[in-house]
């Protein structure tokens, strides 16, 4: 019962979903047994937990029934009991008559009934209580889908030791649609109880981040959502990102290679009268799947003579679904009526244009159908992913067959070599059907080969591993924070970063200026402080954000460091195309600043002053453990970062200042450093020189006392951001270089639309 991948820490796994992954069946001899149930969620999760084993909490499928926990293969199943009223309110009501239509673009009208919400609360609480009681200490709890959106929040309240993950199998609604929900705040807060929230598409993750900012007191930085601190908990980061689900490609391929299955495929075609073309649709009987649209298109093709009698058969497998929900009852009678009409109108004694199968089939029969089909039609009006599209491709080792795929299915993001269709456009759908039926073999092969490549590489193991890797990172991060360790977690997901709302608003305003200057100190700002200055490196996320900004129109990047420019370049930070200011403003490149004191070489007098100071400093401190003397273009710095004892460091720095003053130098104070220069400038003057040349508002990040000169030089249109504690003239403050990286990523996203994650 552990989480995936041998490389990951071994944590126990608990899966929570509305339905248990098994159905109870009674054999003709009266024996009762459990068998794996069909459906998208189980199909995807089954291979993930098959070898791993886990505790799985869910409803077994019958109301008012109390079933003791039991084992099935590698799973330990813990059934949840639902009463008839709860089932009606929580499942048929709020889940399937409110969330389902709302999250699927209002294909049907959602009903908002307050008593349903009460049931939803009660049932979610029951699931959370059982998990809270059963989950081992420190386990990963993976909650699935729209029926259980409150469980993460409820669980976090009572079991803060757990790492909680949530995966939404269906789409997350576009901004304004979600706003209809009377309980939108509660849903967002419930979901934000998770450490990682997975979505099918990028668009879903973006819509959720927007909703989190607007309907809860949360704040999105790229793919991280920062939930502010409460009385009980410090601020935390939640990763909200797309993890497109997939299928067990290998096991389908091996089924498809089974001679018995291949023989069955042949038999199916024969049973259908060996039509020239076999079109196949496989769906739960659901109004989101666009079954009526595809039947309408097919009927028109028959009516207009584009498909001739006996030429083609459309097999529609429609597995029974939610049969007590009104909209589904209506759909069933509509679909069955349409099938009857088509067959009545166009069929002949030996040929039914549509074969409608309203029941579940074993996997091998499904694969035989995929092998038999010339065209698979997926015409969903909205679908989280759609596994059928991927299954068909996985089975077609022969690289024949055509996939017609709705652009409103999540699968369309990845399966761009399918014939993509807008199912609302019936004429377009008809053309695509005809194109698919008459597609030359070479084109079929080209498309199918590309599609197969995709589903082989991105299979369900890839999905589960990447999701669980993110969850394990979150668990590591929680442990690290719990231990109070200060090791660098900057490049991990999710890093605990926080951007204050006031800074976010300032960034929004700043991002919309036509020209902007983004200026950053280096050590302690873009790069975490390293023991030895030569080991300091810019955080990858900060570099990625700066580079994205640099590529945008009207953006100037400036690095404003106390280091000499040589030492700044030696850290490997990107410097091309950037304004560089080194040695506290004395050196300046990238702008033609004639007034800059660093433009003239050292005079003889300056050189000899510097040499004398350097010689004396070396003589006095050269052998002192932990002290490092740095020669700069226009001065010298004495660093004591490696001196173990704070008091000793203070004494050494005081002695250096005295020595410097003997030689006629004033010292500049920094964190565990004193600097002496023969030329005088500061970061404030450097910023002024840059502004004179570039004439644009400035955003400046800095962490040290020497950065205060820069903050003081800023005007009303500029933004100063101090990193870390200490008195400051800056209007904004962030806690760490990781937060600087997050703020830069935010600015890059606002300016360019590119999302720069923390990974
Ligand atoms: P579903 O809406 O159930 O899943 P889908 O992704 O197509 O949709 O998965 C259906 C699964 O059930 C497929 O594996 C299919 O082979 C199987 N199936 C369908 N009819 C069957 C039948 N009659 N007999 C046997 N098997 C049958 C939800 C979301 C989807 C998302 C999945 C996974 O709505 O968008 O892709 O979860 O996240």
């Amino acid at each position: 019962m552990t989480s995936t991948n041998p490389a990951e820490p071994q944590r126990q796994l608990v899966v929570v979903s509305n339905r248990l992954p098994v159905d109870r069946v009674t054999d003709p001899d009266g024996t009762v047994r459990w068998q794996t149930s069909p459906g998208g969620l189980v199909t995807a999760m089954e291979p993930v937990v098959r070898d791993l084993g886990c505790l799985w909490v869910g409803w077994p499928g019958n109301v008012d029934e109390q079933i003791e926990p039991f084992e099935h293969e590698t799973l330990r199943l813990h059934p949840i009991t639902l009463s008839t009223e709860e089932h009606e309110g929580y499942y048929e009501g709020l889940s399937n008559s409110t969330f389902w239509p709302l999250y699927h673009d209002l294909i049907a009208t959602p009903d908002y009934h307050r008593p349903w919400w009460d049931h939803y609360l009660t049932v979610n609480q029951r699931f959370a209580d059982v998990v809270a009681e059963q989950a081992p200490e420190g386990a990963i709890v993976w909650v699935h889908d729209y029926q259980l959106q409150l469980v993460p929040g409820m669980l976090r309240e009572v079991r803060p030791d757990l790492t909680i993950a949530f995966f939404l199998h269906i789409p997350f609604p576009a901004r304004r649609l979600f706003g209809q929900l009377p309980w939108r705040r509660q849903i967002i807060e419930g979901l934000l109880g998770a450490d990682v929230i997975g979505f099918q598409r990028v668009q879903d993750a973006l819509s959720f981040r927007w909703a989190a900012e607007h309907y809860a007191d949360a704040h999105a930085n790229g793919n991280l959502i920062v939930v502010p601190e409460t009385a009980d908990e410090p601020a935390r980061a939640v990763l909200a990102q797309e993890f497109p689900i997939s299928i067990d490609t290998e096991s389908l391929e091996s089924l498809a290679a089974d001679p018995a299955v291949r023989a069955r495929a042949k038999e199916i075609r024969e049973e259908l009268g060996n039509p020239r073309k076999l079109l196949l649709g496989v769906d739960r009987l659901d109004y989101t799947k666009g079954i009526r649209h595809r039947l309408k298109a097919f009927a028109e093709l028959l009516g207009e003579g584009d498909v001739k009698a006996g030429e083609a058969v459309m097999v529609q497998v429609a597995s029974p679904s939610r049969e007590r929900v009104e909209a589904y009852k209506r759909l069933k009678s509509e679909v069955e009526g349409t099938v009857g009409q088509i067959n009545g109108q166009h069929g002949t004694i030996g040929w039914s244009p549509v074969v409608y199968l309203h029941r579940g089939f074993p996997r091998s029969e499904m694969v035989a159908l995929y092998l038999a089909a010339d065209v698979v039609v997926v015409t969903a009006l909205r679908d989280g992913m759609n596994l059928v599209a991927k299954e068909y491709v996985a089975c077609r080792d022969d690289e024949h067959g055509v996939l017609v795929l709705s652009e409103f299915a999540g699968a369309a993001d990845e399966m761009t070599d399918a014939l993509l269709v807008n199912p609302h456009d019936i004429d377009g759908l008809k053309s695509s059907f005809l194109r698919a039926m008459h597609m030359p073999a070479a084109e079929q092969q080209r498309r199918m080969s590309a599609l197969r490549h995709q589903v082989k590489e991105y299979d369900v193991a890839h999905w589960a591993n990447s999701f669980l890797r993110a969850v394990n990172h979150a668990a590591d991060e929680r442990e690290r924070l719990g231990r109070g360790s200060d090791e660098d977690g900057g490049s991990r997901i999710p890093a605990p970063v926080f951007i204050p709302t006031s800074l976010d608003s300032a960034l929004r305003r700043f991002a919309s200026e036509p020209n902007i200057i983004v200026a950053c100190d280096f050590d302690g700002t873009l790069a975490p402080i390293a023991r030895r200055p030569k080991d300091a490196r810019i955080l990858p996320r900060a570099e990625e954000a700066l580079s994205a900004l640099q590529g945008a129109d009207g953006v100037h990047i400036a690095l404003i460091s106390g280091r000499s420019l040589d030492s700044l370049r030696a850290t490997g930070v990107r410097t091309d195309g950037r304004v560089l200011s080194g040695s506290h403003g004395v050196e300046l490149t990238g702008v033609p600043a004639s007034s800059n004191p660093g433009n003239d070489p050292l005079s003889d007098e300056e050189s000899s002053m510097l040499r004398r100071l350097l010689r004396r400093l070396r003589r006095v401190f050269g052998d002192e453990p932990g002290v490092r003397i740095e020669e700069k273009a226009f001065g010298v710095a004495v660093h004591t970062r490696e001196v173990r004892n704070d008091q000793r460091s203070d004494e050494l720095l005081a002695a250096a200042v005295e020595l410097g003053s003997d030689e006629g130098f004033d010292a500049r104070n920094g964190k565990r450093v004193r600097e002496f220069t023969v030329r005088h400038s500061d970061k404030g003057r450097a910023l002024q020189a840059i502004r004179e040349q570039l004439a644009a508002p400035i955003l400046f990040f800095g962490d040290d006392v020497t950065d205060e000169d820069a903050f003081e030089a800023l005007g009303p249109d500029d933004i100063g951001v101090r990193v870390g504690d200490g008195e400051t003239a800056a209007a904004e403050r962030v806690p760490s270089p990781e937060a600087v990286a997050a703020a830069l990523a935010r600015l890059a996203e606002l300016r360019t639309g590119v999302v720069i994650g923390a990974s």
Side-chain angles (χ1 to χ4, degrees), residues 38-41 43 100 104 167 169-170 200 245 282-284 289 317 319 359-361 363 366 370 383-388 391:
L41 188 154
T43 314
W100 184 268
H104 286 89
F167 187 79
H169 290 257
I170 67 174
Q200 302 277 29
I245 203 166
V282 175
D283 312 81
R284 274 184 313 96
K289 305 287 183 183
V317 178
S319 46
R359 57 182 183 275
F361 291 98
R363 215 79 197 119
M366 300 300 293
Y370 289 137
D383 212 338
M385 176 56 60
N386 196 289
L387 299 180
V388 169
E391 288 169 356

Side-chain angles (χ1 to χ4, degrees), residues 324-340:
R324 286 162 45 96
V325 176
E326 206 41 55
Y328 287 75
K329 284 187 200 162
R330 255 197 325 271
L331 174 76
K332 182 165 180 280
S333 71
E334 275 173 26
V335 166
E336 291 178 356
T338 309
V339 170

Side-chain angles (χ1 to χ4, degrees), residues 66-78:
Q66 215 142 12
I67 300 176
E68 288 305 308
F70 61 98
E71 299 201 353
H72 177 77
E73 296 168 358
T74 56
L75 306 180
R76 207 152 57 81
L77 300 166
H78 195 112

Side-chain angles (χ1 to χ4, degrees), residues 430-675:
K430 282 157 62 184
S431 315
S432 298
F433 285 4
L434 289 176
R435 260 196 83 193
M437 287 164 64
H438 300 287
M439 187 179 283
E443 187 182 346
Q444 292 188 30
Q445 187 166 19
R446 177 187 63 72
R447 288 174 181 270
M448 191 56 88
S449 150
L451 290 169
R452 284 180 56 74
H453 187 74
Q454 207 282 329
V455 296
K456 275 158 149 324
E457 180 141 1
Y458 298 98
D459 63 358
V460 75
H462 181 275
W463 168 72
N465 285 338
S466 48
F467 187 74
L468 286 173
R469 201 174 315 122
V471 178
N472 272 302
H473 276 303
D476 290 346
E477 198 68 25
R478 290 161 48 82
E479 276 172 19
R480 189 179 72 79
L481 291 171
R483 281 199 310 271
S485 144
D486 64 355
E487 54 187 81
D488 166 31
S491 62
R492 312 241 295 262
I493 28 179
V497 288
F498 175 66
I499 296 185
T501 319
S502 61
L503 175 57
D504 191 65
S505 317
L507 290 177
R508 281 174 207 255
R509 173 180 56 74
F510 187 71
S512 62
E513 295 284 342
N515 293 304
I516 52 175
I517 301 165
V518 180
C520 305
D521 168 46
F522 185 76
D523 295 274
T525 299
L526 290 176
I529 296 283
R531 255 182 202 288
R532 292 176 308 177
K534 73 178 171 61
D535 295 336
R537 293 289 176 272
I538 186 169
L539 288 173
R541 190 181 191 197
E543 185 55 273
E544 213 184 316
L546 285 179
S547 293
L549 282 163
Q550 192 167 344
D553 282 348
V555 183
H556 303 279
I557 306 295
L559 304 179
I560 314 282
S561 179
R563 287 175 181 248
S564 69
L565 289 188
D566 283 347
S567 141
L568 183 65
R569 289 191 182 100
T571 65
V573 66
R574 179 176 168 189
T575 52
D576 63 286
R578 293 180 178 175
V579 177
L580 303 178
S581 163
S583 307
H584 297 284
V586 175
E587 296 174 281
L588 187 62
T589 69
V591 285
S594 54
S595 62
N596 176 42
N599 283 358
D600 301 326
L602 286 177
S603 68
D604 289 349
E605 194 192 339
E606 287 172 331
S607 295
S608 73
M609 258 184 93
L610 260 185
R611 269 201 312 276
R612 212 168 38 243
L613 174 69
L614 190 61
R615 204 171 44 240
R616 285 198 67 195
L617 285 172
R618 284 204 169 123
R619 200 173 300 147
V620 176
F621 299 107
D623 294 330
E624 193 67 42
V627 174
R628 211 178 50 81
I629 295 166
E630 183 193 4
E631 206 178 326
K632 301 180 124 187
F634 299 91
V636 184
V638 178
H639 297 273
T640 59
R641 264 182 219 157
E642 288 177 78
V643 173
R644 286 178 184 266
N645 178 313
D646 282 348
Q647 195 185 350
R648 181 68 191 135
S649 159
D650 290 347
E651 288 166 4
L652 287 164
L653 291 173
V657 170
E658 235 170 74
L659 191 152
S661 134
D662 268 5
E663 293 296 331
F665 286 84
D666 287 334
R668 191 197 305 269
N669 293 350
K671 283 178 197 158
R672 288 203 165 208
V673 62
R674 296 294 178 271
E675 296 197 31

Side-chain angles (χ1 to χ4, degrees), residues 373-427:
D374 299 294
V375 181
V376 160
V377 282
V378 174
T379 55
L381 307 178
R382 179 56 84 193
D383 212 338
M385 176 56 60
N386 196 289
L387 299 180
V388 169
K390 295 189 172 182
E391 288 169 356
Y392 176 50
V393 166
C395 293
R396 298 313 297 239
D397 184 27
D398 59 355
E399 298 187 341
H400 280 280
V402 184
L403 173 65
V404 174
L405 175 61
S406 162
E407 60 194 63
F408 299 110
D413 281 359
E414 304 165 278
M415 305 182 83
T416 46
D417 284 286
L419 275 187
L420 294 180
V421 291
N422 168 6
H424 297 281
D425 171 8
I426 301 294
D427 286 334

